[in-house]
Amino acid sequence: MEGRIMRTLLKKNDINILKYLSHNNNVSTKDIAQAINKSETCIRNSIKNINTFFEENNLTPLERIDGKYNLSFNISNNLSPLLLKDSIEIQAKERFNYLMFELILTEKLNLNKKTSTFNVTRKTLSLDLEEIKNFLAQKDLYLESIPWKGIYLKGDQNNKIILSIKFLLKLILEKEFNPFSSEINKTEKLYHQYLPIEIEKKLFNLNQIILKKYNLNIGTQLSNVLLAVLIYCYLKKDSYILAEEDPLFSLKNVKEIYNSYFSFFCSEEFLKEYPFFHKNSHILSSTLTRITPEILKIDITNDNIMNNIISNLESNLNFKFTESSNLYFIQLLRVGNFKYKYNITHFNSFFEDISEQDKYIIDKLNSILIKNNINLLYEDLTLPALIIKHNIVKYKIQTKQKHILILDRFLDCWLGNLIQNQLLNNFEHLNIAVKSIYLLNSEDILLLNPDFIIYTDFEFDNFFPNINIKKQQCKYDNIFKNINYLEDFEL
């Protein structure tokens, strides 16, 4: 009897490599290894397996050109249908997502046929269930098995609602960060069984309508929070109202904002267009209140853990956050911590080739976060570190280096004026003088007595010998590269 032909399956590392390649072009084996935290040998072996899979399915194998890999658009389009046809090992993370999503939708798990759905053994499924139990225990929830009926989600109703909304937010973020993986996973198919694509689009549009109506410029992450609540309210039309009120809502201005939102969500016009929200006005109103910038500012001000982190950073690195940077920074930390808790990654190369100075700030930030029991993935430390760096430079310029002289080789100083505008856009309280090199000499510079000098395309010492003042050349092709040229002044 002729043996069964074994076809190649893509494994966890293979899928992670394809995710990374779907986001990044011209990447080396080393780049991929750093991004998914595997050895270069492991990456090379995975690429061999990927190419075998491609050949078996009449796709062009990955080519290494000048040491770099790319995933072509055609391959990406042709690959997704193949991966939906059981050509892929269903990873533990996806099985977890699938079972959790079914659980929050129905408050019940039916394990019949799950072994065939996931192509795993009963033992593996039992281990998945233990992981879910451990996860739920952290949320003060538990599973109860009732013979011949199924496994039920038990615990406080408020905790169920909060978990459901946070898990929907997790799915939204994973779709946003990893569109490639959302095309190929079974949770996405289950998601759209309960939430048809046309309804999903309608809720997304409603999200934008609400934010526009109240002129809420809150950024993508907080916008996604509102979207998760809208989806939850659609899926759980008979939801209970959250019973406990946060002390925040006892404040007069918070109550007023909440009441205005509540009136809108209870209005006849709104419920006529969106009748499935008629029992969820409170959840929608309280969510919108929380993400309103002025209320968010109050909430952040009362966050003792985050304020302690800010204080430690400012003390250790000798600077002060601006108020706007402070709020944005804390929001980034909250989002990063949420991603860590819910195991959400996006395979980007944002943090590659960082300087030693950046690495020092990242390590210091990470150390302070861990001491305060806040964890972030490495990929989510980079942007907060850049905000810290920007504030350090800004603070030191404002407090120590206030007099800048820009020397331009052009008579009309057009290049010097561009540099001046860039500095004034980034920093306040600067005293900047822009001079043409043809209209002053070394004695004039000494009389001006600047803290440091920025000069354009000319040989400084040929024009102004014996000037012992910190200086940095800023050429035409690099003046818009943020403010990095100020680092050489030890700022």
Side-chain angles (χ1 to χ4, degrees), residues 456-468:
T456 61
D457 296 330
F458 64 90
E459 294 296 328
F460 187 90
D461 291 336
N462 290 343
F463 281 82
F464 307 105
N466 304 319
I467 297 293
N468 189 24

Side-chain angles (χ1 to χ4, degrees), residues 164-179:
S164 300
I165 292 171
K166 287 186 174 181
F167 202 80
L168 285 167
L169 179 59
K170 165 186 166 70
L171 295 180
I172 290 169
L173 292 178
E174 286 185 332
K175 287 175 65 177
E176 183 177 299
F177 292 143
N178 296 308

